[in-house]
Amino acid sequence: MKLITFVHNGKQSAGVVGKDGSIVPLPYCSVDDMLWDPGWRETVQKAAESPNTLARQEVKLLAPIPVPRQDLICLGINYMEHAEESARYKKEAFGGERPYAVYFSKRVNEAVADGGYIESHSQLTDSLDYECELAVVIGKDCRDVGKEEVQDYILGYTIINDVSARDVQTRHKQWYFGKSLDGFTPMGPWIVTEDEIPYPPRLSVQSFVNGELRQDGNTEKLIFDIGHVICELSSGMTLKAGTIIATGTPAGAGMGFTPPKFLKPGDVVTCRIQGIGEITNTVR
């Protein structure tokens, strides 16, 4: 099942994409709003039986969770090859070990939909970068979840482009500001529910800039997998329904090239993940 948030005739709603591509409206403002209804699964099942559908061309897709209630939780340097290119870019020694997961948060004023724009913020940065990532969406509140239970708490998966201002990150010696500027979180095009993707996900993760393949990884190479992450985080804090966890990016980000291949206005970035689809955004 593909869960979406869309606009039709000026009204924002959640919905489900049918097998024929048609849109089944749901009585919620967004996917995030839907999760606050304990009976949402029954509501979705009932709506799926309704003949009242919309054609894809009648609606405008938004990010599936346009305005997250909390900051995104992100995994830093969670692919070994990206850890190496990150250290090389920062001219730091890298010992080849990553004993503990690196967590950070990313503020999202409003997530950017497929087809939307990545703001260049040229007054702040000249080192704009892309990072294609598999994101996990939590489906119900969880605390002290064991690894064998993790799958039961996952709503589904979507694509995140963790856009980053590398010079801002370096200047402030932390990631929050350099990853949280407006327009820095393209997301979508939908959330594919957990039952549609074998667990744990082993999915191809790719990014393209102006048609050139830049990143080409697979989630089977995550240093800390989804089970580890949700189990570890929920051991110390409650993960609320709608929490979005970006699992990290493979090698091939712009900073990893010599010289770096940073983004500029007019560049078109496509992030593609097997089993989910792709999002394409233009820098302006």
Side-chain angles (χ1 to χ4, degrees):
M1 184 164 54
K2 295 174 180 175
L3 300 171
I4 60 171
T5 299
F6 67 94
V7 174
H8 177 250
N9 289 339
K11 180 183 177 182
Q12 180 177 310
S13 304
V16 177
V17 180
K19 292 183 179 180
D20 61 355
S22 63
I23 308 299
V24 180
L26 299 174
Y28 307 103
C29 293
S30 69
V31 174
D32 191 34
D33 181 56
M34 178 189 79
L35 295 177
W36 288 76
D37 174 13
W40 71 264
R41 294 182 186 276
E42 291 76 16
T43 301
V44 170
Q45 185 175 5
K46 184 178 179 180
E49 299 170 356
S50 170
N52 299 320
T53 62
L54 299 169
R56 172 65 182 86
Q57 59 268 27
E58 293 182 74
V59 309
K60 176 185 178 182
L61 285 189
L62 304 178
I65 299 181
V67 182
R69 296 174 189 260
Q70 301 180 39
D71 288 358
L72 270 62
I73 299 174
C74 302
L75 271 290
I77 44 183
N78 200 28
Y79 290 79
M80 196 59 70
E81 292 84 357
H82 180 58
E84 293 170 356
E85 70 179 3
S86 177
R88 186 169 60 249
Y89 173 73
K90 293 183 289 185
K91 297 179 173 59
E92 296 176 350
F94 177 64
E97 296 182 356
R98 189 64 61 195
Y100 300 103
V102 176
Y103 299 110
F104 64 95
S105 62
K106 180 181 178 85
R107 186 174 184 83
V108 183
N109 182 50
E110 183 175 1
V112 179
D114 175 36
Y117 291 98
I118 298 169
E119 298 294 336
S120 62
H121 292 281
S122 56
Q123 79 282 9
L124 286 174
T125 181
D126 61 5
S127 305
L128 190 68
D129 212 346
Y130 53 88
E131 294 186 3
C132 181
E133 306 195 14
L134 175 69
V136 184
V137 183
I138 300 297
K140 57 184 178 180
D141 292 3
C142 60
R143 174 70 193 266
D144 298 324
V145 174
K147 283 189 177 182
E148 70 282 357
E149 304 173 284
V150 163
Q151 195 173 356
D152 294 336
Y153 289 86
I154 297 173
L155 171 66
Y157 306 93
T158 191
I159 302 169
I160 291 285
N161 184 353
D162 180 19
V163 179
S164 308
R166 300 299 186 193
D167 49 352
V168 177
Q169 288 180 237
T170 302
R171 183 184 311 133
H172 291 274
K173 301 187 185 302
Q174 48 76 34
W175 297 336
Y176 187 75
F177 185 29
K179 288 178 174 283
S180 300
L181 303 182
D182 290 350
F184 270 23
T185 311
M187 178 197 302
W190 37 62
I191 295 170
V192 176
T193 52
E194 178 275 333
D195 58 300
E196 297 285 334
I197 294 177
Y199 182 86
R202 293 181 172 87
L203 308 174
S204 169
V205 177
Q206 297 177 312
S207 68
F208 302 79
V209 178
N210 301 326
E212 176 191 0
L213 177 64
R214 294 284 183 87
Q215 294 178 284
D216 191 9
N218 194 292
T219 58
E220 68 180 356
K221 294 185 178 180
L222 288 169
I223 299 173
F224 299 99
D225 63 18
I226 291 167
H228 174 96
V229 169
I230 293 177
C231 179
E232 182 169 67
L233 289 175
S234 71
S235 68
M237 62 180 174
T238 299
L239 301 178
K240 304 291 288 184
T243 296
I244 302 168
I245 303 173
T247 58
T249 200
M255 70 175 181
F257 293 88
T258 305
K261 294 183 177 182
F262 292 128
L263 300 172
K264 60 186 183 301
D267 283 345
V268 178
V269 184
T270 296
C271 293
R272 179 183 299 163
I273 296 184
Q274 178 185 2
I276 300 176
E278 64 182 38
I279 55 174
T280 297
N281 303 92
T282 302
V283 180
R284 68 174 181 185

